[in-house]
Amino acid sequence: MRAFRNVYFAAGFIIAAGLLLASFFYSYWLKDIIPQPPKQIYNEAGRLVDVPPYPPSWAHPFGVDRQGEDVFWKVIDGAKYTIVTALAVSLLRLVFGTVGGIVYAFYLQKFRFIAESIVRAFRFVPAIFLTMLFFAFIPLEEQGAGMGVLIKQLLVLAAVALPPLMLVIGNDIAVFLQNEFVVSSRLMGADHVWLIRKHVLPYMRPRLFLLFTQQTVQSLLLLVHLGAFQILLGGVKVIYDSDGLGPPEKVALSLSNEWSGLIGLSYREMMLDQWIVVGPCVAFIVAIFAFKLMGKGLEQVIAGKGKRKQRKKQRSSSGKTASFPPQQGDFELVLYR
Amino acid sequence: MKKWKLALTVLADLLLTIFTIMAIIAFAQSYSLFPSPQMITVFWQQFQQLFWSFFSIRDITVSLSQWHNAPLLSTMMEPYAYSLVILWGALAVSFLIAVTGAYICFLLPRPLQKMVKGIAFFLESIPDVIFIFSTQLFVIWVFKKTDLLIVNPVAGFDNVYVLPIVMISILPSILLFQMTFLAFTEEKDKPYVEYALAKGLSKTAVLWRHMFRNALITVFSNVQYLFWFMLSNLLVAEYLFNMHGLFRFLYEQLHTPEVVAIGLAMLFLPFYLIDVAGKRVIAYLTGIERGVA
């Protein structure tokens, strides 16, 4: 909770939480209130001047897309899917990563050499390439869309970054275990469970929070990449769209307004009406920035920078002039817990 | 004796990493059968198949189109060389940008330094995909306004070098800039710097002759992270810009696991060797090897 007093953390948290809240607020309540953008725009003389997509304006800050929907509200609607997905993925990574890291630090230190080369392979191949490898062999269309596919995909997203995370946590714990108080605790007969409960977990807790924000940034980046490679989470709905000329075109629709889906599906709009793609991109930047701010704040809290004020206060209290010979008021009663 | 041991560790390291790459690919193939026990047999079969394919590397062919098959090695050489040139170019460019940037920034007054650091922090949260999107848009915008095509943003058939190198080096160089700057600030408080300044050496001289060298060692030891970041940038750039590089080639051959495994192994090989060599050089420079430190 001390973290909330840090400016960076608080700012990042407010942005991220604001996005999420706005998103839920929108889809349960605001959706019915906000009017749809007009299907045609007429000028004063009553002549048709424009049909969707409209460029950004004051009424529609991110513009209006080809289906006549306001991109800004689409992005807000998609925020919850994207952010919750990223949070879920990083939570999965962190849970398995911590368990793996503890096992590695306690039991597998002899195999350090092997672990490092395995992790090197995972780090070397870009995460998005690994994800594509996995997704290339999951037959999406056959199984249809649904929770089953989504869960499998989330597991893949979590797994591609898991080994490096395990190694990072494991190495951190292994270094920590060499502390003198841990060694003496061991000498006095503490078993592994005790060490984990009393030493490792209290030490790791703030660091795990930091890793959590960092992993969330990583998963958001992975989601952007998925969007660019037009891989959709939770499967796709394929509709046949005919413009009256030529054979009907296959158009994939994302099942939600998830941001990476918004980017991936309208990638060809890049050369035509850029604002349709720019909206979700801006949203991604804002979300990543928010989580990075939180990470920076946590780093400062862990490094103890937030304590500077307290320390100053102590120093000033100790600097007060003592009378000679010392009086009773010069001493303070200090309780050691 | 010692050299033999080193060579052996390097070789073992290399083999293990390549085995892991193969295992990942085999696992990816069997993943669709996820909860069933069948998965393990499929995984093992695929792994063996991948393993043996490394020995018959000359016989593997890739299908370029429905009717056209070509031997793998000759087809892969061209995109491989192209990707390597771009990666090395980008690595060199980002080194140049980052080190000069950090050097200049270090000489700036403090409030400006803070501002530059803030900007770098914000720029870092822009995903590479979006960055590449926007360069593309920028080139087109310039073309529309001035009728001047700086570089062809969509490569097509001829290989372009300048734009991709610049593009994939910008974000890594921001990362490297931050690392270098941090190394400088850490170096600044060390006693030898104070001593040199007290002796009357100028700030630039101290920075250039002494701190720079020491900071470079920290930077060099982080260069593999930079390289990994650059690889993912390259992958995205090759896809979005239609470049004919190795990653694009692998992306098209994603369903033939042997090709993917061999391609990744080939990309991994030179950079691992460079990494090992770099570590030796650093060990020599810091004097650990010579028993100085």
Side-chain angles (χ1 to χ4, degrees):
Chain A
M1 285 302 109
R2 208 179 51 201
F4 283 98
R5 266 183 256 159
N6 184 292
V7 184
Y8 289 112
F9 182 84
F13 186 81
I14 287 170
I15 297 173
L19 263 176
L20 262 180
L21 275 183
S23 176
F24 280 111
F25 205 54
Y26 171 76
S27 48
Y28 291 116
W29 192 54
L30 280 179
K31 206 175 205 166
D32 309 322
I33 297 177
I34 291 171
Q36 286 282 316
K39 292 281 174 223
Q40 298 90 19
I41 291 181
Y42 297 96
N43 65 0
E44 293 85 4
R47 290 184 59 177
L48 187 66
V49 287
D50 208 356
V51 290
Y54 311 131
S57 60
W58 284 113
H60 311 292
F62 284 177
V64 173
D65 73 357
R66 213 158 280 278
Q67 280 87 36
E69 283 178 76
D70 193 328
V71 177
F72 178 75
W73 291 114
K74 258 181 123 165
V75 165
I76 290 289
D77 186 40
K80 56 177 176 295
Y81 302 107
T82 309
I83 293 179
V84 167
T85 310
L87 288 177
V89 168
S90 52
L91 194 68
L92 274 176
R93 282 180 188 176
L94 219 61
V95 169
F96 288 114
T98 312
V99 173
I102 287 175
V103 170
Y104 172 69
F106 276 98
Y107 301 104
L108 301 177
Q109 279 300 299
K110 280 177 196 157
F111 303 106
R112 196 181 196 130
F113 178 71
I114 297 174
E116 268 171 11
S117 17
I118 289 174
V119 165
R120 188 176 300 120
F122 270 90
R123 277 192 178 145
F124 166 74
V125 185
I128 176 63
F129 196 78
L130 285 180
T131 321
M132 283 193 308
L133 265 178
F134 277 93
F135 284 9
F137 298 107
I138 297 180
L140 269 187
E141 277 82 4
E142 288 165 29
Q143 298 182 4
M147 272 324 260
V149 177
L150 186 66
I151 287 172
K152 265 189 176 179
Q153 286 177 329
L154 287 186
L155 282 179
V156 169
L157 290 186
V160 290
L162 202 51
L165 187 66
M166 276 182 191
L167 194 75
V168 166
I169 295 178
N171 282 340
D172 200 5
I173 294 176
V175 170
F176 172 76
L177 285 180
Q178 282 164 3
N179 272 321
E180 275 150 20
F181 55 89
V182 182
V183 174
S184 52
S185 175
R186 251 195 191 148
L187 285 176
M188 286 192 283
D191 59 354
H192 285 169
V193 178
W194 178 266
L195 283 183
I196 290 168
R197 230 159 47 92
K198 291 291 173 184
H199 291 296
V200 173
L201 285 183
Y203 166 75
M204 284 309 287
R205 198 170 296 135
R207 279 157 190 81
L208 286 181
F209 276 110
L210 177 62
L211 282 174
F212 182 70
T213 57
Q214 285 168 353
Q215 288 303 318
T216 313
V217 170
Q218 295 301 321
S219 357
L220 280 172
L221 284 176
L222 194 55
L223 284 176
V224 186
H225 283 158
L226 283 182
F229 285 96
Q230 299 170 17
I231 298 168
L232 300 177
L233 289 176
V236 290
K237 185 170 71 183
V238 176
I239 58 166
Y240 289 92
D241 179 34
S242 173
D243 51 0
L245 310 160
E249 247 180 294
K250 222 169 127 180
V251 178
L253 280 183
S254 172
L255 294 179
S256 57
N257 285 328
E258 203 267 318
W259 294 342
S260 60
L262 286 183
I263 291 180
L265 295 175
S266 40
Y267 176 59
R268 53 179 186 169
E269 301 284 357
M270 266 291 295
M271 301 300 156
L272 308 168
D273 305 304
Q274 296 87 4
W275 60 87
I276 301 175
V277 191
V278 167
C281 287
V282 171
F284 261 120
I285 293 176
V286 169
I288 289 174
F289 187 60
F291 280 102
K292 279 199 102 125
L293 276 179
M294 283 165 75
K296 193 178 178 185
L298 283 177
E299 254 172 22
Q300 287 186 350
V301 171
I302 292 174
K305 271 189 185 165
K307 281 184 190 165
R308 201 179 287 156
K309 262 183 193 164
Q310 290 175 359
R311 215 181 296 147
K312 252 182 203 163
K313 225 180 257 171
Q314 271 179 0
R315 209 173 283 160
S316 65
S317 72
S318 68
K320 75 181 172 192
T321 49
S323 53
F324 186 80
Q327 305 291 313
Q328 201 182 7
D330 290 337
F331 295 98
E332 272 176 69
L333 187 64
V334 181
L335 288 175
Y336 277 103
R337 264 165 287 173
Chain B
M1 185 62 207
K2 210 178 169 193
K3 272 185 186 157
W4 273 110
K5 209 175 170 188
L6 183 82
L8 217 64
T9 17
V10 168
L11 198 67
D13 232 14
L14 205 64
L15 281 181
L16 263 173
T17 312
I18 290 174
F19 273 142
T20 314
I21 291 176
M22 290 197 287
I24 294 170
I25 294 169
F27 184 70
Q29 274 182 299
S30 57
Y31 184 67
S32 60
L33 305 165
F34 176 41
S36 67
Q38 223 185 334
M39 182 178 163
I40 295 164
T41 50
V42 173
F43 170 75
W44 184 236
Q45 274 172 9
Q46 287 297 338
F47 187 75
Q48 279 174 318
Q49 205 182 326
L50 280 178
F51 180 74
W52 292 115
S53 74
F54 268 75
F55 292 99
S56 56
I57 202 167
R58 285 174 191 286
D59 305 331
I60 297 173
T61 56
V62 287
S63 58
L64 295 178
S65 67
Q66 214 170 343
W67 302 278
H68 184 53
N69 283 344
L72 172 68
L73 283 180
S74 59
T75 339
M76 201 155 75
M77 266 313 141
E78 199 184 326
Y80 180 60
Y82 179 54
S83 283
L84 279 192
V85 168
I86 287 196
L87 271 175
W88 284 118
L91 211 59
V93 168
S94 64
F95 236 86
L96 216 67
I97 296 177
V99 170
T100 25
Y103 181 68
I104 292 168
C105 184
F106 197 73
L107 296 175
L108 289 176
R110 191 147 272 206
L112 274 178
Q113 270 184 20
K114 243 186 168 172
M115 221 166 79
V116 172
K117 263 158 82 181
I119 292 171
F121 181 74
F122 175 72
L123 283 181
E124 229 194 355
S125 53
I126 298 177
D128 43 7
V129 175
I130 291 169
F131 198 78
I132 291 165
F133 269 158
S134 40
T135 14
Q136 226 167 349
L137 281 184
F138 178 72
V139 170
I140 291 167
W141 179 78
V142 168
F143 179 61
K144 270 186 188 164
K145 289 283 171 205
T146 61
D147 229 20
L148 168 81
L149 196 59
I150 309 174
V151 250
N152 192 356
V154 181
F157 288 102
D158 46 328
N159 290 350
V160 282
Y161 287 99
V162 178
L163 185 65
I165 286 181
V166 169
M167 211 171 38
I168 69 171
S169 65
I170 287 179
L171 283 178
S173 63
I174 291 170
L175 192 78
L176 191 64
F177 164 77
Q178 284 178 322
M179 285 198 278
T180 320
F181 194 74
L182 197 72
F184 274 158
T185 30
E186 271 170 10
E187 208 70 22
K188 192 182 67 178
D189 297 331
K190 289 193 176 160
Y192 77 90
V193 176
E194 270 176 30
Y195 179 62
L197 286 175
K199 267 182 85 176
L201 294 180
S202 71
K203 199 179 173 188
T204 33
V206 175
L207 187 64
W208 200 236
R209 296 287 303 270
H210 301 288
M211 289 167 65
F212 185 69
R213 274 193 221 171
N214 289 338
L216 215 56
I217 291 165
T218 355
V219 171
F220 258 115
S221 50
N222 282 325
V223 88
Q224 48 175 340
Y225 294 94
L226 189 80
F227 177 67
W228 291 326
F229 186 44
M230 209 168 252
L231 270 184
S232 111
N233 271 334
L234 180 69
L235 169 66
V236 171
E238 279 184 9
Y239 178 74
L240 293 183
F241 275 62
N242 239 343
M243 286 152 55
H244 292 261
L246 185 67
F247 272 121
R248 171 119 199 138
F249 178 74
L250 294 183
Y251 179 70
E252 279 159 6
Q253 305 288 337
L254 210 55
H255 284 274
T256 41
E258 293 91 356
V259 176
V260 177
I262 291 171
L264 288 178
M266 275 174 74
L267 198 59
F268 175 69
L269 203 67
F271 287 99
Y272 178 68
L273 293 179
I274 293 291
D275 193 35
V276 170
K279 281 207 176 112
R280 298 284 297 171
V281 170
I282 288 168
Y284 182 76
L285 279 181
T286 47
I288 293 167
E289 200 76 351
R290 289 172 293 168
V292 177

